[in-house]
Amino acid sequence: MALLTGKTFGGASWTPTFVMGVDPEKCIGCGRCFKSCARKVLGPVDLVDEDTDSTRMIMTLANQADCIGCAGCGVACPKKCFTFRTMEV
């Protein structure tokens, strides 16, 4: 299995990890991941809890195809609610 890899400016090998999902149970809607993503991969949505009749904001994958695999969203997330995957070539 060969993985998509690249090089950093300094010449080191780098394997991007692309965002695959956001766990809505862990997400607190703080927006740190949203602010860290220059590609606008993430977007806020309102999650309605029908049991308690309350609404809270969470992040979702708005433009997953634009992810470049930097994993900055996962680094910024205080709740570690992101899942990532490498890409096979």
Side-chain angles (χ1 to χ4, degrees):
M1 165 178 80
L3 296 177
L4 176 70
T5 59
K7 295 280 186 186
T8 65
F9 184 73
S13 183
W14 174 65
T15 302
T17 54
F18 300 94
V19 65
M20 291 290 112
V22 182
D23 185 340
E25 297 300 316
K26 291 182 181 178
C27 183
I28 59 173
C30 66
R32 291 177 187 164
C33 58
F34 181 76
K35 292 175 187 174
S36 72
C37 183
R39 306 282 303 167
K40 301 189 186 325
V41 173
L42 305 168
V45 296
D46 288 334
L47 178 67
V48 178
D49 185 344
E50 294 177 4
D51 293 337
T52 62
D53 198 33
S54 63
T55 304
R56 65 184 178 98
M57 185 186 77
I58 62 168
M59 289 299 146
T60 61
L61 300 178
N63 301 299
Q64 185 180 18
D66 290 339
C67 180
I68 60 170
C70 72
C73 54
V75 172
C77 181
K79 296 297 183 178
K80 306 300 179 207
C81 59
F82 288 89
T83 55
F84 298 93
R85 186 176 75 202
T86 56
M87 182 186 292
E88 292 182 33
V89 290

